Amino acid sequence: MFRLNIDSVLANAGYAAKAANVANVAKQNADELAKLAGIAKLAISQQPANEPFPVLDELLTAALRACDYWNDDYAARQQMIDDCHAIPPDKRQEWIDYFVQQYPK
């Protein structure tokens, strides 16, 4: 005779709900990172070709390695991009050197 254990069914349903929630959060993070990639690409593409100082894309590439290291979310990465844009061109190399030293490839 088959006997249904309601406690077991409810416990398994809870695990399924948690797994579905994790999947939804992962998709949201992936969507946010895709948006961020588009923003970063746009920012890099607007760098003047005759810039005498290190180009912004070098700084962004180095800085976003720090974000990768710390597993930053979309908001933190966006803040890093904004901060990089605020760095004067003549100070970029110092920051590039810092990020490369602290967060090597």
Side-chain angles (χ1 to χ4, degrees):
M1 175 175 170
F2 177 74
R3 190 171 166 172
L4 183 62
N5 182 337
I6 193 68
D7 292 332
S8 177
V9 170
L10 291 175
N12 287 330
Y15 291 128
K18 288 177 184 176
N21 187 41
V22 168
N24 286 336
V25 169
K27 183 181 181 333
Q28 289 172 343
N29 287 342
D31 292 344
E32 289 175 356
L33 289 175
K35 290 177 196 174
L36 180 63
I39 293 168
K41 186 175 180 180
L42 177 62
I44 290 168
S45 70
Q46 295 182 9
Q47 179 69 32
N50 59 354
E51 179 70 53
F53 299 105
V55 291
L56 187 57
D57 67 330
E58 291 176 47
L59 176 57
L60 289 170
T61 299
L64 290 175
R65 278 203 305 260
C67 293
D68 292 340
Y69 178 85
W70 293 107
N71 199 26
D72 285 347
D73 63 5
Y74 175 81
R77 289 172 185 270
Q78 183 60 53
Q79 183 62 52
M80 179 67 85
I81 290 172
D82 294 344
D83 291 346
C84 287
H85 280 276
I87 295 173
D90 63 330
K91 300 292 184 191
R92 288 180 189 158
Q93 189 60 55
E94 294 172 35
W95 283 101
I96 291 169
D97 293 343
Y98 169 79
F99 285 122
V100 167
Q101 180 183 9
Q102 294 296 315
Y103 306 98
K105 289 182 183 178

